[in-house]
Amino acid sequence: MTMWTSLDPAAVAVDPGGRATARLRVRNTGDTVEEYRLSVVGTPAGWARVEPDTLRLYPGSEGTAEISFAPPRSPDAPAGPAPYGIRVEPREHPDLRDVLEGQVTVAPFTEVRAELLPPSLVGRFRGRASVAVDNLGNTPLTASLTLRDETNRLTYDMTPNSVQIAPGRAAFAKLDVRPQHVRWTGRAEQHRITVAVRRSGDDTGLELSGTFDQRPVLPRWLMVAGSAMVTAAVAFVVLWLAFQPKVTTASGELQAGSSAQPVPQGAESPLPSAPVSAPPAAPPGGAQAPAGDGSGGGGGGGGGDASELGSGPPVVPPPPKQAKPAPNAPAGPVWDMGYKPDDIVTFAQYRLATLGNENECTLKPGWTAGIIDKATQTSLACYQAHVMRDKKSSMQLTATDKKPGTLGRATLTSMWAQGIRVENVKSGAQNYDVTKLVAALWWANQSSISDGDLTRDRFYANKGIDYFKAGQKNGYATKSDAGLAQAIKDYQANVGLKATGVADAQTINWLIGGDVKDRGKPGR
């Protein structure tokens, strides 16, 4: 044996976001100069460091190194004890390496984020929404879900009304809201609702505000039209009854005559038949009068001039055909040719199709919604190559999405981050740029995507599709709050940026560049 080693203390405790240290001592018991390489192995290796990581010792001399543990305040550092080892490997005698075993205990912390999707419900007989609950802590979470309305005029079903969520995961509950009384006529009535999310053992919790707009069964325009028809009918009856034809007779003239003339009992010729009314004249040229809603025939109208990206490019019409995949087609992510259709792919296609007429990567009409067809694959590969040439970005997209023309979480992160303006995502802002940032961070901060995560991602994808179909005039607005600031801070820590919690220009450029957590892991 050419060395003696010691670890003090062998067991340490640390809070997430904090720091704890241990000391390693190494003595060269051989008769030659030796260099010892030091490294951490085990679960804590991702957030532990040895300084220095190399000790060069003369025979009989001793050196020390400090092992520091700094677990992030995120689900990546699970609560509880975690064993680890310090590997000491002599360079000249690698077969004599030694591993000192220790234990680090991470303190638990809880952090819950919840969202009502969508926050505004509209319906005549009911409204449907989803409640997303994210466990951002490092311990399993059990939360109960309840709803209340200010006027107590609603009934609801929450399925399930209690969820259990592992660290770093999300759960969804379906909310069905119904009014106690149906509004047949009149104006729409707005009900304010509050969904309370309470963690087990904690009386305080999150409260999600929303509204339910109860629309009347008979719309206002129908009542106006009905009232006009009734008024017209009453007026017609009144005029009909009030009409008295004036009848004149020749009785005076008959009395003044010398004698009455006998009325003949027959006639030499038959009475003339009643006149037949002539048919209305046809339009000139024999053309038929137009029927329908008055919208006119084809040929009129057309798109305006194509504009630049971010300022309202031309609307791309929905593809006329939907894909019919094989029964055994695989599902994403990552999405490739031959995979099952997905709304997330459709969002990416609309993003590519609205890059602008001057962009060589623009997806031309003729693509099939929801699948990676040949045209989509070519456009995707072109987009990815452009991102990798953009020196303002981190240029890390292909580190995760290695195969050109496939749609993975790095490319989706980049697409969502396109066009975000820093001034639009400041704390307290509420607009579509914040929505884009939230969606980009969902893809960037998770190296593995669960089914619940995909449900949420498809929700945002459909909001993006609606945004593009509307000509980029309006979008689903999200508010920049403390939860988003924490997500930004987590992302910055994951990719090596300064963790400020503020979405500055460098953070946006890193998202556009496809720099994601656990770079190289495709997701799923």
Side-chain angles (χ1 to χ4, degrees):
M1 191 70 179
T2 62
M3 62 180 173
W4 171 86
T5 58
S6 173
L7 182 63
D8 182 36
V12 296
V14 62
D15 292 325
R19 185 173 180 270
T21 61
R23 187 176 67 168
L24 172 69
R25 297 169 58 194
V26 181
R27 182 183 303 160
N28 184 357
T29 60
D31 54 4
T32 60
V33 177
E34 185 62 271
E35 184 177 274
Y36 301 92
R37 289 175 291 186
L38 313 177
S39 59
V40 183
V41 295
T43 302
W47 35 268
R49 178 182 296 179
V50 182
E51 293 180 339
D53 59 0
T54 302
L55 292 174
R56 183 177 178 82
L57 302 177
Y58 289 95
S61 64
E62 182 177 304
T64 62
E66 183 180 75
I67 301 96
S68 59
F69 303 95
R73 189 175 174 83
S74 73
D76 294 330
Y84 71 94
I86 304 296
R87 180 188 293 142
V88 183
E89 185 175 359
R91 183 173 183 177
E92 299 297 331
H93 302 86
D95 55 319
L96 298 179
R97 64 176 176 268
D98 188 19
V99 177
L100 286 80
E101 297 182 353
Q103 179 176 283
V104 56
T105 301
V106 181
F109 81 96
T110 58
E111 185 174 346
V112 184
R113 183 189 300 167
E115 189 175 3
L116 181 63
L117 305 172
S120 298
L121 288 68
V122 178
R124 293 180 172 84
F125 302 102
R126 66 176 57 195
R128 291 188 174 93
S130 296
V131 181
V133 183
D134 294 272
N135 182 4
L136 304 181
N138 64 351
T139 58
L141 168 71
T142 300
S144 60
L145 309 174
T146 57
L147 180 141
R148 70 174 186 272
D149 67 289
E150 296 178 356
T151 59
N152 198 26
R153 298 174 64 182
L154 300 175
T155 59
Y156 76 95
D157 290 323
M158 188 82 71
T159 308
N161 57 12
S162 178
V163 292
Q164 293 183 341
I165 317 169
R169 295 298 181 182
F172 289 80
K174 294 182 179 180
L175 175 62
D176 194 340
V177 178
R178 297 181 299 276
Q180 296 179 0
H181 302 285
V182 177
R183 293 183 65 83
W184 292 99
T185 59
R187 296 179 178 272
E189 181 180 4
Q190 186 178 84
H191 304 270
R192 296 189 177 275
I193 60 176
T194 302
V195 177
V197 182
R198 287 186 171 82
R199 183 171 56 88
S200 177
D202 186 1
D203 292 336
T204 62
L206 299 175
E207 291 192 345
L208 311 177
S209 299
T211 57
F212 171 57
D213 289 336
Q214 182 184 359
R215 301 291 174 84
V217 176
L218 301 178
R220 185 179 180 86
W221 69 265
L222 183 60
M223 297 301 298
V224 173
S227 299
M229 292 179 64
V230 171
T231 302
V234 172
F236 177 78
V237 172
V238 170
L239 291 175
W240 177 265
L241 295 177
F243 178 73
Q244 297 291 337
K246 184 177 180 180
V247 179
T248 58
T249 65
S251 57
E253 296 177 1
L254 292 175
Q255 293 176 0
S258 58
S259 62
Q261 300 296 324
V263 180
Q265 300 297 311
E268 296 179 355
S269 61
L271 294 174
S273 59
V276 180
S277 59
Q288 297 296 320
D293 58 3
S295 59
D305 295 335
S307 57
E308 296 179 357
L309 175 62
S311 59
V315 180
V316 178
K321 295 181 180 180
Q322 295 294 326
K324 295 181 180 180
N328 58 347
V334 176
W335 289 272
D336 201 349
M337 294 187 72
Y339 278 48
K340 292 180 180 178
D342 202 302
D343 291 340
I344 294 174
V345 178
T346 305
F347 161 77
Q349 291 170 315
Y350 271 97
R351 173 69 277 183
L352 293 169
T354 54
L355 290 177
N357 293 336
E358 302 299 326
N359 195 311
E360 62 181 3
C361 297
T362 301
L363 179 59
K364 299 301 187 291
W367 44 274
T368 305
I371 64 168
I372 307 291
D373 54 14
K374 186 61 178 177
T376 303
Q377 185 186 60
T378 302
S379 181
L380 264 175
C382 179
Y383 175 85
Q384 292 161 341
H386 269 256
V387 170
M388 293 303 294
R389 292 196 299 267
D390 183 4
K391 295 184 179 180
K392 292 183 179 180
S393 74
S394 58
M395 296 187 293
Q396 294 295 329
L397 190 148
T398 55
T400 301
D401 296 350
K402 296 180 175 61
K403 182 180 178 182
T406 60
L407 183 63
R409 59 192 181 96
T411 304
L412 284 162
T413 297
S414 175
M415 287 182 167
W416 273 113
Q418 285 286 351
I420 295 177
R421 296 183 178 272
V422 174
E423 61 270 19
N424 290 345
V425 292
K426 293 181 179 179
S427 178
Q430 185 168 358
N431 52 59
Y432 184 65
D433 268 12
V434 179
T435 302
K436 291 162 63 176
L437 180 58
V438 170
L441 290 170
W442 280 128
W443 285 108
N445 279 342
Q446 299 185 72
S447 56
S448 60
I449 310 298
S450 66
D451 291 338
D453 297 333
L454 283 174
T455 300
R456 177 189 53 223
D457 294 328
R458 291 189 181 103
F459 168 82
Y460 281 107
N462 280 289
K463 293 301 177 184
I465 294 169
D466 294 340
Y467 172 69
F468 287 123
K469 284 184 177 180
Q472 301 189 4
K473 300 299 182 184
N474 297 296
Y476 175 67
T478 304
K479 185 175 182 180
S480 176
D481 55 12
L484 177 59
Q486 183 61 48
I488 297 170
K489 191 173 183 179
D490 292 342
Y491 172 74
Q492 291 167 333
N494 289 336
V495 299
L497 296 175
K498 186 177 180 181
T500 62
V502 177
D504 53 14
Q506 187 178 27
T507 302
I508 301 301
N509 285 335
W510 255 232
L511 288 166
I512 294 174
D515 204 336
V516 297
K517 177 183 176 182
D518 293 341
R519 188 187 310 125
K521 293 185 179 181
R524 196 67 174 172

